Amino acid sequence: GKLVVQSADQGFTATFPEANISTSGDTQEEALSNLKSLIVEIFEDLESEPPEKLGPEPSRQLKVLRTFLKRNVPTIQKESAR
């Protein structure tokens, strides 16, 4: 899975198409940073739910996010550690 940043009317949008997650920012960097934060947030929310409570789409999202975070950005999790 890869992150896509595109120019939009008001700044930029950053999307993680594989996980169906999108956000925006005034600059490319901000859009990407917002997307990374959102990915971690959604991952933590989904992971805190009992697996049997997640529907097919959230379960798929969680799987994609888990793989993405493990593979690409171990630093993101450290940065947002509570």
Side-chain angles (χ1 to χ4, degrees):
K2 66 179 189 184
L3 309 180
V4 181
V5 180
Q6 294 171 306
S7 181
D9 292 341
Q10 302 289 318
F12 293 85
T13 59
T15 310
F16 184 17
E18 203 180 337
N20 202 17
I21 299 172
S22 185
T23 188
S24 60
D26 293 333
T27 64
Q28 281 180 298
E29 293 76 23
E30 187 182 298
L32 202 51
S33 174
N34 290 345
L35 182 60
K36 288 175 181 176
S37 298
L38 189 59
I39 286 170
V40 171
E41 216 172 279
I42 291 172
F43 174 75
E44 287 174 348
D45 284 351
L46 291 175
E47 199 161 58
S48 69
E49 291 291 324
E52 64 276 6
K53 285 210 170 156
L54 295 176
E57 176 57 15
S59 295
R60 186 195 70 78
Q61 252 187 333
L62 179 58
K63 205 168 144 190
V64 169
L65 294 175
R66 186 176 286 130
T67 304
F68 174 81
L69 288 168
K70 235 181 246 171
R71 221 178 262 167
N72 299 315
V73 277
T75 53
I76 285 181
Q77 285 179 306
K78 284 180 198 140
E79 284 169 17
S80 72
R82 292 175 193 157

